[in-house]
Amino acid sequence: MTSSRRDFIKAGFVAGASCSIPSILMAQTTPSAARTVRMVKTGDLRAYDPVFSSAIITGDHAFAIYDKLFAPDSRFRYQPQMVERWRVSEDKKTWTFELRDGLGWHDGTPVTSADCVASIRRWAPVEPGGQLLMSRARDISKIDEKTFRIVLNEPFGLLIEALWRPFMMREADANRPPTEQVTANIGSGPFRFNEALARPGSSFTYDRNDRYVPRKEPADGYAGGKIVKVDRAIWSNIGDQQTAIAALQAGEVDYIESPPVDLYPAIESDPNLALQVLNKSGQDLYLRMNCLQKPFNNLKARQALLHLVDQEAFMRAAIGNPNYTNSIRSWFGDDTPYTNDENTGWYKKGGDPEKARQLFKEAGYAGEKVVILQPTNITFLSNASQLLAAELRKIGVNAELAPSDWGGVVARRAKKSSVEDGGWSIFITADSDFSHSYPLFSVVMPANGENGWYGWPKNDEYETLRLTWADLETLEQRQALARKMQRAYWDNPGSILLGHYFSAIARRKTLTGLIGLIDWSPMWNMQKA
């Protein structure tokens, strides 16, 4: 039976037996100021540029220092953010946007429409929604210092939805190729990146942008007024989870992004701490194959993994507590408007390793090394990677783990080369279940080959269907299309689902006002008592 996010929220957190964690004090720790928030994020910030990297931690960094043209509220209605007003021509092909007053870069210069045009153009080739926009755009250009225009060859009703995706950068930064990382960290957002206090591998510091002019509307989802209620936020990199929890208990940190589920009872038993689910849609865990290199450039090898996976076993290894997990069969998520059961006959409780062995044989597998990227500083991903390696070895696959921190995984997964030349075969990651209801904008859902996201699967039948999504007007039409797309995808998969789970952040009860919606956790609106 599939659990819904409503069931999960109603059920609350399941209390468990309390476990003991030793109290520790960090050497020479300076007591936190009342308006400073110390946060333990998942992984280490290696890439600062949200166009260059799709890592969640890079997105959180971008939400702090940059701003956006539009943003979704808590009901996923897209609201203006940097835009003051816009208008659409009668033929729905010309869109004109005017920026609001008070927008300025951290270096003291004003935000202009030229900055926005350059930012859209830099982002567009990288993300699926941008690629679709550019396929329909005849012109994107500046009108005056505060106004720009997008002229389309044909109507594109999802334009506002597409324009919430890119972060706005200075024109000088946005003129860089998307394959070349922007490192200036100068945005127009509610926080400033403190370069002087940046300690890569250890900590990053963000200071309140005193010059930021928030919108007047109240914060709602990612929309509304981005009011910063603290003076400083510090991201600390603490790799050991028990050390991080002990620091939270001692008041040395205020927030831990992804505590292990087996430590939830210890957090719940502490009267000063709380667990909070920010992403109420839950997360979908999946593995991504490198479809350009052996053995997964062969369709049958990809299908073999579809049959190999025992989702219940992966959820036990990665998450542990079955109260927070369930299996998932739909490429459109576990609980979205487009979830369906089309072409899911491959699913079998416990998996089917003999079928997987047979398909590897049919693929002509000849003992090639299969390198699995293992992020050792993210426990649930590390555990899932180890289980995958063990299951592959059982059916005769030469599987090898490549351990590193998450930053190392992010850097290596961008390589398209063979494993002999520093490439990879598989990595495991997760994203918001809700994001799978947006096939035009999710980075993982396209199958457009080398123009797509890491792994680069190519499925022409699926892609032809996916690109018609924007032209459908009703929920029923898109639900029918989702079934056709799912049939094509599971015939030729680029990703393999490992399960659906819910996770919570841990915080001290003195930290309130946290904003949650889907994947990213912005820092405006939070405050300390």
Side-chain angles (χ1 to χ4, degrees):
M1 179 177 179
T2 301
S3 63
S4 71
R5 47 183 175 271
R6 291 184 297 275
D7 295 335
F8 178 82
I9 295 164
K10 288 178 182 177
F13 291 103
V14 180
S18 177
C19 62
S20 174
I21 298 178
S23 177
I24 60 104
L25 291 174
M26 295 180 183
Q28 301 178 341
T29 297
T30 301
S32 298
R35 289 173 62 84
T36 296
V37 176
R38 297 181 181 272
M39 312 175 79
V40 178
K41 301 288 284 182
T42 301
D44 186 23
L45 179 64
R46 292 285 189 90
Y48 304 106
D49 182 349
V51 174
F52 182 82
S53 172
S54 61
I56 296 298
I57 194 168
T58 300
D60 285 347
H61 165 81
F63 267 103
I65 71 169
Y66 296 116
D67 213 341
K68 286 176 173 272
L69 297 171
F70 293 87
D73 63 20
S74 58
R75 295 174 62 186
F76 289 92
R77 298 171 301 186
Y78 292 87
Q79 308 293 353
Q81 184 56 44
M82 296 173 74
V83 169
E84 179 63 33
R85 60 183 62 87
W86 71 98
R87 60 183 181 274
V88 187
S89 62
E90 286 189 14
D91 64 3
K92 302 188 184 316
K93 293 182 181 180
T94 301
W95 297 65
T96 305
F97 302 90
E98 182 180 338
L99 300 177
R100 65 185 177 92
D101 293 333
L103 300 177
W105 300 110
H106 299 159
D107 63 6
T109 59
V111 174
T112 71
S113 58
D115 299 313
C116 299
V117 168
S119 296
I120 294 168
R121 288 187 174 278
R122 181 172 186 264
W123 154 82
V126 174
E127 284 205 14
Q131 294 166 0
L132 181 60
L133 167 61
M134 295 307 289
S135 73
R136 299 191 176 201
R138 186 165 74 244
D139 180 54
I140 303 176
S141 58
K142 167 185 171 179
I143 296 177
D144 58 38
E145 291 301 299
K146 291 183 60 178
T147 312
F148 68 95
R149 177 174 55 205
I150 298 178
V151 182
L152 303 169
N153 292 312
E154 56 183 308
F156 183 33
L158 300 177
L159 180 62
I160 299 299
E161 190 172 330
L163 289 181
W164 105 264
R165 307 283 163 166
F167 291 94
M168 296 298 104
M169 298 180 174
R170 298 179 304 172
E171 183 180 15
D173 296 324
N175 281 337
R176 285 195 181 203
T179 53
E180 188 178 302
Q181 185 173 184
V182 171
T183 58
N185 290 311
I186 295 175
S188 65
F191 285 87
R192 295 172 179 265
F193 184 70
N194 191 320
E195 296 276 2
L197 294 182
R199 303 289 184 268
S202 177
S203 67
F204 295 95
T205 299
Y206 299 83
D207 295 325
R208 180 167 59 90
N209 178 12
D210 293 332
R211 296 180 181 177
Y212 183 76
V213 179
R215 295 189 68 89
K216 294 179 176 151
E217 300 90 345
D220 181 16
Y222 297 146
K226 297 179 178 179
I227 299 175
V228 178
K229 301 177 182 179
V230 298
D231 291 332
R232 174 169 286 182
I234 300 173
W235 294 2
S236 298
N237 186 10
I238 303 177
D240 181 76
Q241 295 281 7
Q242 290 209 6
T243 300
I245 297 294
L248 185 71
Q249 291 177 317
E252 295 162 355
V253 298
D254 304 289
Y255 168 108
I256 298 176
E257 186 168 69
S258 186
V261 173
D262 60 355
L263 296 183
Y264 281 10
I267 298 166
E268 291 179 305
S269 67
D270 190 319
N272 298 310
L273 307 183
L275 290 166
Q276 183 176 349
V277 175
L278 296 180
N279 181 355
K280 294 178 176 62
S281 74
Q283 298 282 114
D284 297 335
L285 188 70
Y286 58 92
L287 65 84
R288 190 77 165 178
M289 298 164 284
N290 185 342
C291 300
L292 301 181
Q293 301 292 340
K294 290 183 178 181
F296 300 114
N297 60 350
N298 186 288
L299 172 60
K300 288 188 179 293
R302 298 195 296 275
Q303 292 173 333
L305 292 192
L306 202 60
H307 293 276
L308 176 68
V309 167
D310 175 354
Q311 290 195 16
E312 290 81 0
F314 273 92
M315 288 293 94
R316 286 194 301 271
I319 308 303
N321 191 326
N323 293 303
Y324 300 95
T325 70
N326 55 268
S327 59
I328 176 173
R329 308 176 196 186
S330 179
W331 184 229
F332 287 83
D334 180 64
D335 186 23
T336 79
Y338 308 108
T339 300
N340 68 85
D341 60 0
E342 188 73 20
N343 198 14
T344 54
W346 48 266
Y347 177 82
K348 183 177 180 181
K349 188 176 178 65
D352 190 347
E354 287 309 311
K355 177 69 171 178
R357 187 195 303 270
Q358 173 194 334
L359 286 168
F360 265 111
K361 183 177 180 180
E362 292 176 11
Y365 177 69
E368 296 91 351
K369 186 184 295 183
V370 170
V371 172
I372 302 167
L373 304 184
Q374 179 196 7
T376 54
N377 61 333
I378 304 179
T379 303
F380 78 102
L381 294 180
S382 179
N383 290 348
S385 301
Q386 292 178 72
L387 175 60
L388 177 61
E391 293 303 302
L392 283 168
R393 290 168 188 152
K394 286 179 184 177
I395 63 169
V397 174
N398 180 18
E400 178 181 293
L401 290 165
S404 71
D405 61 13
W406 177 246
V409 172
V410 169
R412 188 167 176 179
R413 71 182 182 179
K415 297 180 179 180
K416 296 180 179 179
S417 53
S418 67
V419 296
E420 290 78 15
D421 292 326
W424 56 278
S425 307
I426 298 173
F427 71 88
I428 295 175
T429 189
D431 58 15
S432 170
D433 188 72
F434 192 81
S435 69
H436 284 249
S437 60
Y438 288 86
L440 292 180
F441 301 110
S442 163
V443 294
V444 73
M445 293 193 76
N448 54 346
E450 294 195 53
N451 292 323
W453 196 59
Y454 314 116
W456 312 284
K458 185 171 176 57
N459 186 330
D460 293 339
E461 178 187 1
Y462 171 87
E463 275 298 291
T464 299
L465 293 167
R466 187 181 70 87
L467 294 176
T468 65
W469 189 277
D471 300 316
L472 302 183
E473 297 181 355
T474 69
L475 174 65
E476 291 75 17
Q477 287 174 326
R478 288 178 177 167
Q479 286 174 330
L481 179 60
R483 296 186 70 88
K484 293 178 182 178
M485 289 172 61
Q486 182 163 296
R487 171 164 289 282
Y489 194 83
W490 290 140
D491 280 344
N492 185 0
S495 300
I496 307 296
L497 296 170
L498 303 178
H500 178 231
Y501 67 96
F502 293 91
S503 63
I505 61 96
R507 61 176 173 84
R508 294 192 65 79
K509 289 182 178 177
T510 51
L511 180 66
T512 59
L514 298 173
I515 290 175
L517 192 62
I518 44 175
D519 292 305
W520 303 281
S521 303
M523 298 188 293
W524 63 83
N525 201 58
M526 69 180 180
Q527 59 187 325
K528 289 179 71 172

